[in-house]
Amino acid sequence: MDKRPLVRVVNNVNEAREQVQPLTLQGYDRDRIYVLAHDDDKTDWAADYADAQKIGAAEEGVFNAIANVFREPGR
């Protein structure tokens, strides 16, 4: 299996859940699948709903850098 990070951009938690399920079927470990939203509360809720991991302090720097690429200016 390819070990490079995989990033998917979705518009809502339903899409996040739809992206997580096939990844697990492909062999990705749920402990290595993360979601990131625009604020902590949304991230927590989306992670629970999508059955993925919440961003922790160790991952936050990397994922925030990735997320900033997709964020609109002024948000």
Side-chain angles (χ1 to χ4, degrees), residues 3-56:
K3 296 291 185 182
R4 293 178 292 173
L6 176 65
V7 176
R8 303 275 173 93
V9 178
V10 297
N11 295 309
N12 56 56
V13 294
N14 290 325
E15 288 181 17
R17 189 176 196 173
E18 290 170 2
Q19 292 295 319
V20 169
Q21 290 171 340
L23 292 173
T24 58
L25 293 174
Q26 293 172 23
Y28 286 88
D29 185 354
R30 283 192 190 274
D31 290 339
R32 310 266 305 156
I33 300 174
Y34 298 89
V35 297
L36 176 66
H38 287 281
D39 64 54
D40 291 341
D41 290 336
K42 288 180 184 174
T43 297
D44 289 345
W45 189 81
D48 289 342
Y49 184 75
D51 198 16
Q53 298 301 309
K54 300 170 180 103
I55 299 295

